[in-house]
């Protein structure tokens, strides 16, 4: 059984060592492709793989075609928009994610970005505090819930909207439920995004929402760049001198925004949300465990694609 870990952005060394130990304990072959810069390296590496573990690596239809033995793909992380689910399902390849395993790392980064924005990107000018400010969480999954707890620790007033979570589940978590994205943006000075890049969500954060945010508006995006309408972000930064945008996924126009709005725009140079030793370990080890359980017990817990 050949298991390939293909990570353009590698896991921490300690995570890879643990994954290797688990896989080799079962006497499976592990191949590691890290830091690859050309898709041809991935296409070559998958050609003999029975199982594939990836992060945000793009597993498009041609990668799946190049992997005739592939039976399972595990995305070590939450979002699986990088995997062509139709192409995988067509071949009866099981696709899984590892929900929750890297959530704490992302939630902590959200608070770091919030503080960074509140202090004007540490530019030496007086900023403000998070205590007493309102934070709206858009998407109340594993990450959103942790962000709520951390923000409450800072003394923020936290509310949340999620189209797929019952309002009572939100209030059970001691967070105020909100009934629409419109209300979430209108009522909160800070908004943090935790929704997936599904077709319904593409560019859903638009100008009317940004325009409606209260004075001192700050938008935090550690989710996906595709959920933002970039023209609306540009317009908000241009037309509202109180608007800030901090992001872990640089928009296509990042250089332009950095140049024009250095005290109100920041994007990490590389996606850092899940880039901690702990998150790498949790997600990587979970992925290895899920692959082994699938091979040995046909366990399809966490499958995200439909069975054909
Ligand atoms: C996720 O969906 O789990 C996060 O965006 C982390 O992605 P990464 O594994 O590429 O850091």
């Amino acid at each position: 059984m050949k298991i390939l870990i293909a990570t353009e952005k590698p896991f921490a060394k300690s995570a890879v060592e643990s994954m290797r130990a688990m896989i080799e304990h079962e006497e499976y072959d592990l191949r590691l492709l890290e830091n690859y810069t050309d898709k041809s390296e991935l296409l070559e590496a998958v050609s003999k793989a029975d199982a594939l573990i990836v992060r945000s690596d793009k597993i498009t239809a041609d990668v799946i075609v190049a992997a005739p033995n592939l039976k399972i793909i595990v995305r070590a992380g939450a979002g699986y928009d990088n995997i062509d689910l139709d192409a995988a399902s067509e071949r009866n390849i099981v696709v899984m994610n590892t929900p929750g395993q890297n959530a704490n790392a992302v939630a902590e980064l959200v608070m770091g970005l919030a503080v960074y924005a509140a202090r004007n990107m540490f530019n030496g000018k007086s900023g403000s505090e998070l205590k007493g400010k309102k934070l709206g969480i858009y998407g109340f999954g594993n990450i959103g819930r942790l962000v709520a707890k951390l923000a409450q620790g800072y003394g923020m007033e936290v509310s949340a909207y999620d189209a797929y979570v019952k309002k009572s589940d939100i209030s059970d978590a001691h967070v105020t439920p909100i009934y629409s994205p419109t209300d979430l943006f209108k009522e909160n000075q800070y908004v943090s995004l935790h929704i997936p890049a599904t077709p319904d969500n593409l560019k859903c954060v638009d100008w009317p929402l940004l325009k409606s945010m209260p004075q001192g508006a700050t938008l935090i995006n550690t989710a996906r760049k595709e959920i933002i309408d970039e023209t609306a972000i540009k317009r908000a930064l241009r037309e509202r001198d109180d608007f800030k945008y901090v992001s872990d996924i640089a928009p296509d126009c990042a250089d332009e925004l950095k140049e024009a709005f250095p005290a109100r725009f920041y994007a990490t140079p590389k996606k850092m949300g899940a880039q901690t030793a702990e998150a790498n370990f949790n997600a990587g080890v979970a992925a290895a465990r899920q692959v082994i359980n699938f091979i040995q017990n046909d366990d399809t817990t966490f499958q995200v694609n439909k069975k054909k």
Side-chain angles (χ1 to χ4, degrees), residues 112 115-125 263:
V115 170
Y116 194 50
R119 301 298 181 95
N120 300 313
M121 322 303 175
F122 300 159
N123 70 355
K125 302 210 170 110

Side-chain angles (χ1 to χ4, degrees), residues 9 55-56 75-79 102 224 271 274:
K9 184 177 61 180
R55 295 184 63 181
S56 290
R75 190 285 191 241
N102 58 19
R224 291 290 181 271
K271 191 158 71 132

Side-chain angles (χ1 to χ4, degrees), residues 33-280:
L33 175 70
E34 290 183 323
N35 287 314
Y36 62 94
T37 50
D38 198 278
K39 192 175 188 180
S40 60
E41 296 173 69
L42 178 62
L43 292 173
E44 191 282 319
V46 294
S47 65
K48 293 197 174 60
D50 296 288
L52 174 61
I53 295 174
V54 294
R55 295 184 63 181
S56 290
D57 306 75
K58 291 202 177 355
I59 305 304
T60 45
D62 53 337
V63 177
I64 288 171
V65 168
N69 303 335
L70 202 58
K71 293 157 199 70
I72 176 165
I73 303 169
V74 180
R75 190 285 191 241
Y80 44 86
D81 47 301
N82 53 319
I83 297 172
D84 187 329
L85 294 188
D86 288 337
S89 301
E90 208 44 60
R91 283 259 315 279
N92 280 318
I93 295 169
V94 169
V95 180
M96 296 180 187
N97 65 349
T98 64
Q101 299 289 352
N102 58 19
N104 187 66
V106 182
E108 287 189 11
L109 184 70
V110 169
M111 299 315 296
L113 290 170
V115 170
Y116 194 50
R119 301 298 181 95
N120 300 313
M121 322 303 175
F122 300 159
N123 70 355
K125 302 210 170 110
S126 271
S128 58
E129 298 179 20
L130 299 179
K131 188 176 176 185
K133 306 297 188 306
K134 288 181 154 190
L135 169 70
I137 296 176
Y138 193 177
F140 203 62
N142 291 307
I143 301 170
R145 282 166 192 266
L146 287 170
V147 171
K149 278 196 191 154
L150 296 179
Q152 284 165 338
Y154 276 77
M156 298 186 90
E157 250 181 73
V158 184
S159 60
Y161 170 77
D162 190 314
Y164 303 96
V165 175
K166 282 195 270 167
K167 306 291 171 248
S168 56
D169 287 351
I170 296 178
S171 27
D172 286 351
H174 308 289
V175 170
T176 307
I178 299 269
Y179 286 78
S180 69
T182 310
D183 288 343
L184 188 86
F185 280 78
K186 203 165 60 190
E187 291 171 18
N188 287 287
Q189 178 183 345
Y190 286 81
V191 171
S192 186
L193 304 173
H194 301 290
I195 52 173
T198 55
D200 282 353
N201 289 342
L202 299 184
K203 296 192 180 183
C204 70
V205 179
D206 58 10
W207 170 241
L209 290 179
L210 300 181
K211 185 169 181 262
S212 74
M213 288 179 78
Q215 182 63 26
T218 297
L219 180 66
I220 305 162
N221 184 6
T222 54
R224 291 290 181 271
K225 70 174 181 179
E226 290 81 3
I227 61 177
I228 298 275
D229 177 353
E230 286 195 15
T231 56
I233 288 289
K234 273 193 211 175
R235 186 169 174 190
L237 285 162
R238 216 174 34 235
E239 295 188 15
R240 292 189 57 162
D241 62 9
D242 64 325
F243 176 82
K244 293 176 185 165
Y245 181 51
V246 280
S247 173
D248 189 31
I249 323 95
D252 294 335
C253 56
D255 289 345
E256 184 190 332
L257 298 183
K258 208 187 302 177
E259 171 92 29
F261 310 104
R264 293 191 289 119
F265 168 77
Y266 173 75
T268 52
K270 187 135 188 147
K271 191 158 71 132
M272 289 301 294
Q275 207 57 336
T276 63
E278 295 88 341
N280 284 179

